[in-house]
Amino acid sequence: SAMAAPEIVLHPMVVVNIADQYTRGVIQSKQKKAIGIILGSMIKGILHIVDCIEIGFDLSGQDVKLSVDLFEDDFNLHKEAYPANKVVGWYCTDEDLNATHAKIHEKVTSWLPSRKGEDRLKADDILFLLMNPRAKMSDEALPIAIYSHNLGVIQKYKIQSDTAETVAVVHTAQEVVDQKEGSKLVHHYENVHRGLMMMRERLQLITAYVVACQEGKVKPNNRTLRNIKGICNRLPSMQTAKFKNEFQGEFNDTMLLTYLSSITKNSSSLGAIMSNFNSVFGAQGRRYDTPQV
């Protein structure tokens, strides 16, 4: 069961699917929530939450209404492709845990244990995943919390992905960047700039702590001071001639690869243009050889 798992692993495709459902709901039907069922499997005592299926809902009345029949159809199709996945809980998008989630959770805990088949889930094993869609880019933690069956205990989890998921997530991120104004390089440096600003804030915090310890305003913590000293001891090694030569060599290699990839891409585009030109004007005696890439 999910509650017996000593460790929970959340796969990134779950986050992508929930974000996609929320975005479509906001744009198409002005819905401010995304609700669905999370799926996973137990592997060597670790619960892997690998996928999710959205479910229709109606929260307008006093009673919570869920499109159970449509979910069962989608879940049966999912089981044909991924027979190892089982229902482990449900998810919702919102900023904080509130009374609405308690009402939905009560409905879910009365429905899932009553399902037929081996995928039936016990009420005490149902997990609840809450995702904050309005989190800021500057937030340090992932805006996702996983609660136990009573909505009172937050379960610890970690993010893990396989090769296929990594490729899919990277491709999705690139598609999002393509829809924005400006080049990918601009957005890359924006992310680098945000990272440097966050690092600067942390360095200022470390400096303020050391100064406060020297002035006697804060009681020194030996373990924290040792960690700070360990960070400082790494700095001189970054100023040696060997480091500069290695860094310069790596930088030159990277720029060379970028230049070669640009040449290859342009040559491929030129070859496609020549092929199209020959297809149109080849019969008239004007033909150009396609450059070899």
Side-chain angles (χ1 to χ4, degrees), residues 208-243:
Y209 175 78
V210 173
V211 172
C213 290
Q214 290 179 339
E215 295 177 353
K217 297 179 180 180
V218 177
K219 183 179 180 180
N221 184 288
N222 293 331
R223 182 177 180 180
T224 302
L225 293 176
R226 283 195 297 269
N227 291 334
I228 295 175
K229 183 179 179 181
I231 295 174
C232 296
N233 289 339
R234 297 181 60 182
L235 296 178
S237 62
M238 300 178 63
Q239 303 297 329
T240 61
K242 181 179 179 181
F243 171 79

Side-chain angles (χ1 to χ4, degrees), residues 143-154:
I144 290 179
I146 300 178
Y147 296 86
S148 62
H149 68 285
N150 56 6
L151 302 183
V153 180
I154 299 180

